[in-house]
Amino acid sequence: MIDGRTQLVGLIGWPVEHSLSPAMHNAAFAALDLNWRYLPLPVRPRATAEVQAAVHGLLALGFRGANVTVPHKQAVMKHLDEISNTARAIGAVNTIVVQEGRLCGYNTDGDGFVAALREAHFEPAGRQALVVGAGGAARAVVHGLLSSKAEKVTVLNRTLERAQVLVSEMGGHSGRLRALLLTPETLVEAASSPEIGLLVNTTTVGMWPQVDGSIWPESKTLPASLTVFDLVYNPLETHLLQEASISGARAVDGLGMLVMQGALAFVKWTGVQAPLDVMRAACERELRR
Ligand code: ATR
């Protein structure tokens, strides 16, 4: 029951109607009998004044915090009192926590990715990885991999310049990060190196409704030694992950990262360990609807 003591968090973004986060967090609150609610908080794109009003509105309305999603992950930053080193390095905030009247910004995407990777029994320390894409999601993944001591990360992108910018901004790690133009040939060649253990798709290729898309060329077999992580979770089994399974590679879907980044935000707001199984089941239920 919502009453005068209900604690509020929410999701600032646009659009937010199809987000899985409200169902995921509200299921977690209910399972733990916490008097908290998670609300969609739509804030229009390109509305600079509204982003500022929304962030300050969290304080004014007594919210305990919020998640932030596209397109406001960068825009909220200048309205916060504090920003964690991780969020600064990634260049985006996905979680705001109100701490003693101050707005503190965090980014749980990179750590959420690594937690999901470890849950799938892949330890990135000392391993080499290919990251396809160079947008916001790629920045979080690269940060997660480098901070968990991956030996080398290659960022492949259709627009080489964007990968180069990412590398120059995030590559203060003594040559552990490099950029490569994404073509079917460069991807297959890079993935064929026996040193590569992990392939991550951070692009939208394969996402509903273009479910037949894949970054991996149809005519080639994926190396069976790879772990293939697709950040896409709609559909859960993308074309890329089907190809991975067929070739004997380990396939990891994007829901694990969504749940883990949510769980890390959940614990920051509530101080309580998040019920991962409940959260994943709530997401799967929403996806089936
Ligand atoms: P996000 O913040 O979710 O990462 P983004 O910043 O829009 O989203 O980045 C999308 C990424 O997917 C980019 O790396 C984009 O490549 P470009 O930088 O060349 O645009 C990549 N991407 C999108 N559609 C693609 C496609 N059809 N083929 C290859 N890469 C694609």
Side-chain angles (χ1 to χ4, degrees):
M1 193 181 77
I2 294 177
D3 60 22
R5 283 183 291 273
T6 303
Q7 303 293 305
L8 296 174
V9 287
L11 174 64
I12 294 174
W14 188 283
V16 289
E17 295 103 275
H18 300 297
S19 169
L20 303 183
S21 293
M24 173 170 80
H25 285 284
N26 286 318
F29 294 145
L32 299 180
D33 207 15
L34 291 176
N35 190 3
W36 286 60
R37 292 295 187 282
Y38 186 107
L39 305 174
L41 303 170
V43 177
R44 288 185 297 166
R46 291 181 296 279
T48 316
E50 290 172 21
V51 172
Q52 178 172 12
V55 172
H56 289 154
L58 295 174
L59 266 188
L61 295 169
F63 273 61
R64 300 292 297 271
N67 278 139
V68 187
T69 187
V70 220
H72 300 311
K73 283 185 174 188
Q74 286 89 32
V76 295
M77 292 175 80
K78 61 174 180 286
H79 307 300
L80 302 175
D81 298 309
E82 276 172 43
I83 292 173
S84 73
N85 289 338
T86 298
R88 213 175 279 288
I90 294 172
V93 160
N94 82 330
T95 302
I96 298 172
V97 183
V98 178
Q99 288 166 326
E100 291 164 7
R102 291 169 67 76
L103 292 160
C104 304
Y106 300 91
N107 192 310
T108 65
D109 287 330
D111 289 343
F113 166 74
V114 172
L117 197 55
R118 289 187 172 136
E119 197 184 49
H121 307 291
F122 186 94
E123 170 51 55
R127 305 298 299 274
Q128 297 195 12
L130 304 178
V131 175
V132 178
R139 293 179 69 98
V141 166
V142 165
H143 188 272
L145 288 172
L146 291 178
S147 55
S148 55
K149 307 222 170 359
E151 186 180 71
K152 197 167 157 195
V153 179
T154 302
V155 178
L156 299 102
N157 200 47
R158 180 178 63 176
T159 313
L160 177 60
E161 196 193 352
R162 242 182 131 192
Q164 288 169 329
V165 169
L166 188 161
V167 167
S168 72
E169 287 178 7
M170 305 190 75
H173 291 265
S174 58
R176 289 161 65 209
L177 189 57
R178 67 173 183 139
L180 202 61
L181 177 68
L182 173 68
T183 69
E185 294 76 26
T186 56
L187 179 61
V188 170
E189 195 194 329
S192 307
S193 158
E195 268 138 29
I196 299 294
L198 175 68
L199 170 64
V200 188
N201 175 43
T202 74
T203 76
T204 49
V205 178
M207 192 186 286
W208 192 87
Q210 261 105 43
V211 296
D212 288 333
S214 172
I215 52 164
W216 188 263
E218 193 89 51
S219 55
K220 303 283 180 186
T221 307
L222 267 159
S225 55
L226 284 182
T227 291
V228 181
F229 195 126
D230 200 336
L231 264 53
V232 172
Y233 53 76
N234 190 10
L236 268 184
E237 193 178 38
T238 59
H239 197 65
L240 173 67
L241 294 187
Q242 286 168 13
E243 288 167 301
S245 298
I246 288 166
S247 65
R250 189 181 306 161
V252 189
D253 68 58
L255 207 48
M257 176 176 172
L258 181 82
V259 170
M260 289 297 187
Q261 65 75 34
L264 293 168
F266 184 98
V267 71
K268 281 186 190 300
W269 296 322
T270 63
V272 175
Q273 221 46 50
L276 298 175
D277 294 348
V278 168
M279 292 168 85
R280 183 164 178 119
C283 290
E284 287 175 350
R285 229 172 11 249
E286 273 309 284
L287 282 174
R288 278 195 301 271
R289 285 204 319 147

